[in-house]
Amino acid sequence: MVSVPKFKQHLLEEGVLDPEGVHHECAYGAHGRKLDFDRIPTKAPLFREWVDVNAAAIRQRHPKLPQAVLGVADGANRLSRHVAHELGVVALFTHKVSAREVELTTTSRSRLLRLQEGLVVVLKDVCTTGGTAYTAVRSLREAVAREVAAEGQFTWNRQGELRAFADAGIPYTAIIDESLPTYTPEQCQTQGYCAQGWQLIVHAG
């Protein structure tokens, strides 16, 4: 299996991260370098690496495998499907309710009700605050009467401590834990990427 440093190198070579000199306006107005895992075709070798490093991380932490993995829409639903297949566990999916909130799909709610007590690992490609991924955990817990053990696994955590998870006492881990600065538009103009003359790609939505 490819190592995490080699996987990161391949992500950069594929252009998953904005190159030096370019940054994006996010959906909620902040400025930062964009990580776009949608650039990885499902049939590409890099996608296989993405699945393998996530499955290996789960196996390493949990010799007794979780009962399910849950993808956070939109980016991690396809990851969830393939990681679940690799591990031989149930795949659960979410859909977007708003730009920063997701909930379980109807099919996933039905699957969840048939599962036994056990852990669900919430998968997300990129995490900045943990807020969107936390809405997946909340939806998971609202879907069943019993308490559901959950944890987060992020391919790239770009902001250090994730307050939404930390405040709720939900454990989380990251394949790549490397900060990427995010600025308000005002901060960016005075001390961030805009101040350095980097090209800004405005949010299309």
Side-chain angles (χ1 to χ4, degrees):
M1 189 195 79
V2 67
S3 66
V4 171
K6 184 66 72 174
F7 171 61
K8 179 186 171 186
Q9 178 185 331
H10 293 165
L11 292 177
L12 299 179
E13 291 170 352
E14 186 65 24
V16 170
L17 175 65
D18 275 342
E20 294 278 337
V22 176
H23 70 300
H24 274 75
E25 177 189 34
C26 303
Y28 47 93
H31 290 198
R33 294 176 73 184
K34 181 179 180 180
L35 281 156
D36 185 5
F37 281 79
D38 287 343
R39 292 180 63 94
I40 307 173
T42 303
K43 294 185 178 181
L46 183 53
F47 183 80
R48 183 71 254 167
E49 291 182 14
W50 188 20
V51 172
D52 286 347
V53 296
N54 273 274
I58 292 171
R59 284 193 185 102
Q60 183 175 4
R61 288 196 315 280
H62 302 291
K64 181 181 178 181
L65 292 174
Q67 61 173 340
V69 293
L70 170 62
V72 178
D74 290 320
N77 274 335
R78 63 180 179 139
L79 177 64
S80 175
R81 178 179 293 107
H82 287 81
V83 170
H85 179 76
E86 177 88 2
L87 296 175
V89 302
V90 173
L92 302 173
F93 311 106
T94 57
H95 64 87
K96 285 193 172 182
V97 177
S98 66
R100 304 177 78 173
E101 182 176 0
V102 300
E103 65 180 16
L104 283 171
T105 63
T106 301
T107 301
S108 291
R109 288 175 185 272
S110 298
R111 288 178 182 171
L112 182 62
L113 291 173
R114 295 194 297 268
L115 295 177
Q116 303 298 314
E117 298 277 347
L119 175 69
V120 176
V121 177
V122 177
L123 299 178
K124 195 172 190 303
D125 47 5
V126 181
C127 204
T128 302
T129 66
T132 303
Y134 177 70
T135 68
V137 176
R138 188 178 64 205
S139 179
L140 183 71
R141 290 177 170 172
E142 289 172 351
V144 290
R146 57 184 162 78
E147 182 72 9
V148 175
E151 68 176 42
Q153 179 167 298
F154 310 108
T155 301
W156 194 312
N157 173 18
R158 59 181 295 155
Q159 193 162 302
E161 185 180 38
L162 305 178
R163 293 305 313 167
F165 274 66
D167 290 347
I170 301 170
Y172 63 88
T173 189
I175 306 297
I176 300 169
D177 200 343
E178 180 176 324
S179 296
L180 295 171
T182 303
Y183 303 99
T184 66
E186 295 76 19
Q187 289 171 333
C188 202
Q189 289 289 345
T190 59
Q191 66 191 60
Y193 299 118
C194 290
Q196 299 174 50
W198 284 28
Q199 177 189 359
L200 173 63
I201 299 176
V202 179
H203 181 63

